[in-house]
Amino acid sequence: MPLFHSPRARKSTKKVEKRAANKVDRKEWGRQRGHRGNDAGDKKEADDTSKIFKRLNYNHLLMKEIAGYLINPKITTSKEKLRIADVGTGTAVWALETAVKYPNATIDGFDISNEQFSPLYSISNVRLVVHNCFEPFPPEFVGQYDIVHARFWLCLVNNPDAPVLLKNLVTLLKPGGYLQWFEPLPMSVSVWKPDPTMQTPALDQHCKVWAKPKPYTTYEWVEQLPELFQSQGLEAVTADRHPCGDQYRAMWGQSNLAGYQDLIDGNTEGVGNAEDVSKFVEALQAEMKKGAGFGTIFLCVVGRKAI
């Protein structure tokens, strides 16, 4: 299941347009991104947030290994005073690691809440900013960035929403700037088993959930990212596909199981009640212990704004 965040995708662009004026929507999106919200104060919610924090950081490290980079090698990074925006920064783990790898860069991480922001410690070339990326960015950020990085928006975006978000991200780019967008391909998720005759009903269902976790989910936009880039006037640079190798299959499976646990601990709306999800997780674990798993392909699309 696409559980980088606890998903509750919006049903239409109307919700996106109203989000600034709708405090409940804003709080809900924060919860999806792994944030507690200002009204959460008890120990259980704090523990749940800590689990999500760990899972998001775990996924970052795993995706870096699968792709082999933080910034796609086809993007120029040698420029002095490089400016980078990380949209949907979450715990800011990508921004912080990138800041250390590229000391010539200053990085602004944007997210709808600061609840998951990591401490910056001595890393002085990172700034973290609270902003809803479905709304236009303030003028001080428009046209300021050499690179804009987006990753793991799958669970928050349906087909009508993707052009809205993409249009806002393109406004951040300088002439000649690059947009890098990294996502799992939900339709690519398939069962792997050591014995072709092995029965894997739970994993079979898991693959279906990835493709359409809820009745109103529409994920075709992910496959269409290269075309969406072109529709916004971006020059095609690359569209790389990274399969999850056998050495990472078990780790990726554990990440997905942790995502289901987040649903059980938080909000299972649209996917059944907590008891049903718990039984499903047990069935998945049983099949995985027998050596079965699933494969996923990750897509990294890079486009460049005209000079």
Side-chain angles (χ1 to χ4, degrees):
M1 187 173 185
L3 291 170
F4 301 105
H5 316 288
S6 302
R8 186 181 178 211
R10 292 165 307 284
K11 299 180 183 179
S12 70
T13 53
K14 289 183 179 179
K15 270 195 175 182
V16 175
E17 293 165 357
K18 292 179 180 178
R19 189 171 299 280
N22 189 326
K23 190 173 182 180
V24 175
D25 274 356
R26 183 179 176 87
K27 187 190 303 179
E28 175 62 16
W29 187 34
R31 187 194 63 76
Q32 296 163 27
R33 299 289 297 177
H35 308 306
R36 284 177 293 160
N38 294 330
D39 60 346
D42 60 40
K43 183 178 184 301
K44 180 181 182 302
E45 291 198 57
D47 290 344
D48 291 347
T49 297
S50 178
K51 291 177 183 177
I52 296 171
F53 187 100
K54 292 175 183 177
R55 178 169 55 82
L56 296 180
N57 289 341
Y58 175 96
N59 280 337
H60 161 76
L61 296 172
L62 182 57
M63 294 306 106
K64 186 181 68 169
E65 290 300 314
I66 289 173
Y69 54 78
L70 295 165
I71 297 176
N72 191 289
K74 293 184 175 68
I75 295 176
T76 302
T77 57
S78 58
K79 177 182 176 181
E80 291 186 17
K81 298 183 179 179
L82 191 71
R83 290 203 65 185
I84 301 175
D86 181 29
V87 292
T89 194
T91 65
V93 61
W94 183 93
L96 292 170
E97 188 168 352
T98 301
V100 173
K101 183 175 177 62
Y102 299 96
N104 59 316
T106 56
I107 302 174
D108 292 336
F110 297 91
D111 214 306
I112 195 166
S113 166
N114 63 4
E115 285 290 329
Q116 286 289 338
F117 287 174
S118 298
L120 300 182
Y121 300 110
S122 61
I123 301 176
S124 60
N125 54 335
V126 173
R127 174 175 58 163
L128 301 178
V129 181
V130 174
H131 179 74
N132 181 346
C133 297
F134 286 94
E135 299 172 6
F137 285 84
E140 66 188 279
F141 301 115
V142 173
Q144 298 299 308
Y145 297 96
D146 301 288
I147 301 170
V148 173
H149 172 258
R151 184 175 64 175
F152 297 162
W153 284 88
L154 180 69
C155 298
L156 299 168
V157 176
N158 284 321
N159 288 348
D161 309 324
V164 177
L165 176 59
L166 178 58
K167 184 178 180 180
N168 279 345
L169 303 191
V170 171
T171 67
L172 296 172
L173 291 171
K174 294 178 180 178
Y178 296 88
L179 172 59
Q180 173 180 306
W181 197 322
F182 189 97
E183 294 289 349
L185 292 172
M187 305 302 176
S188 76
V189 181
S190 59
V191 177
W192 184 92
K193 40 188 150 183
D195 179 355
T197 64
M198 181 180 178
Q199 299 298 305
T200 55
L203 280 165
D204 292 341
Q205 179 60 28
H206 179 63
C207 293
K208 294 178 181 178
V209 171
W210 253 99
K212 197 172 184 67
K214 298 185 180 181
Y216 50 79
T217 302
T218 51
Y219 284 163
E220 289 79 10
W221 68 268
V222 184
E223 288 279 4
Q224 297 165 3
L225 266 177
E227 291 76 19
L228 288 172
F229 273 40
Q230 291 179 1
S231 72
Q232 292 295 326
L234 296 178
E235 173 192 346
V237 175
T238 191
D240 297 335
R241 293 175 179 243
H242 303 287
C244 180
D246 288 349
Q247 70 272 38
Y248 302 121
R249 196 183 304 278
M251 296 172 65
W252 181 226
Q254 290 300 316
S255 171
N256 280 238
L257 291 174
Y260 279 116
Q261 189 61 50
D262 289 344
L263 285 180
I264 295 169
D265 294 338
N267 180 4
T268 61
E269 179 186 347
V271 295
N273 59 46
E275 183 178 356
D276 290 339
V277 176
S278 294
K279 291 179 180 178
F280 180 56
V281 169
E282 290 175 3
L284 281 174
Q285 288 175 319
E287 292 177 7
M288 290 179 180
K289 284 182 179 179
K290 294 178 181 178
F294 59 95
T296 307
I297 296 173
F298 299 88
L299 176 67
C300 179
V301 179
V302 178
R304 191 179 189 192
K305 190 173 183 178
I307 297 176

